Amino acid sequence: MGNAKEVELSGDYLGVVSNDGTAYVKKGNLYESWTTQLGDVADLEISANGDRIGALRTNGSLTVKDGGLYGSWVEQTSNVKDFDLSGDYIGVVFNDGLATVKQGTLYAGWINQLSAAKAIEVDAKAGRIGVLQDNGSLTVKEGGPYGSWVNQTSGVADFQLTNY
């Protein structure tokens, strides 16, 4: 695959977003064929442990599917600037800075988390949610969407929760 502007790895999934905004994903060994997913994609996330693929379109709408390469897309929300997937967790940051998550099916309700957010990371296995706020502070909670926030540090530009 040439001209990739983003690469996503999770388990035995490999995904790319090409320079023209088309998302492709393969599952299995590195010699498998690419399966076209969607066009007009700005960001791609894959959760192998949840068998989910998510795509943030260039217009800010988010769609996610269960069932791997050939599952059906389910529209989630719009006005999204950042998102993350892990297991049955979906985390988003809206353009207005509200961070929210859902846990369970693709049809579960959203649970608001924090305002003034810049980025979100979720880790379903550890039950952690992390939010980088506009002022550079990083706060993380354990215990899922209803856990308690613990401020970690300030002056952060980017972060990642590592799924273990």
Side-chain angles (χ1 to χ4, degrees):
M1 175 66 49
N3 300 317
K5 66 179 180 180
E6 181 185 352
V7 176
E8 179 74 18
L9 298 169
S10 182
D12 63 349
Y13 284 91
L14 172 59
V16 297
V17 178
S18 66
N19 284 335
D20 72 359
T22 304
Y24 302 90
V25 179
K26 63 170 68 178
K27 183 179 190 310
N29 68 53
L30 299 177
Y31 302 101
E32 297 291 337
S33 297
W34 292 102
T35 303
T36 304
Q37 298 297 307
L38 285 176
D40 295 321
V41 174
D43 187 18
L44 180 71
E45 295 286 334
I46 301 171
S47 173
N49 60 347
D51 213 22
R52 284 186 173 172
I53 300 171
L56 177 59
R57 295 188 190 93
T58 55
N59 68 3
S61 64
L62 176 65
T63 188
V64 179
K65 64 178 171 175
D66 280 331
L69 298 176
Y70 304 105
S72 297
W73 293 102
V74 177
E75 295 300 319
Q76 296 297 307
T77 191
S78 58
N79 298 314
V80 174
K81 67 178 178 180
D82 185 54
F83 86 106
D84 193 36
L85 300 177
S86 176
D88 67 347
Y89 281 25
I90 302 172
V92 302
V93 176
F94 292 107
N95 290 333
D96 68 2
L98 176 64
T100 187
V101 298
K102 67 167 56 178
Q103 179 183 13
T105 74
L106 296 178
Y107 302 98
W110 293 101
I111 305 161
N112 292 343
Q113 299 296 303
L114 286 176
S115 60
K118 178 179 177 180
I120 191 166
E121 291 283 319
V122 293
D123 181 345
K125 185 173 181 180
R128 288 185 174 178
I129 299 166
V131 172
L132 175 59
Q133 293 187 284
D134 290 334
N135 65 5
S137 65
L138 175 63
T139 188
V140 178
K141 65 165 64 175
E142 290 183 328
Y146 300 104
S148 297
W149 292 105
V150 179
N151 289 325
Q152 298 299 307
T153 190
S154 60
V156 177
D158 196 15
F159 80 108
Q160 182 175 353
L161 293 179
T162 303
N163 295 320
Y164 58 91

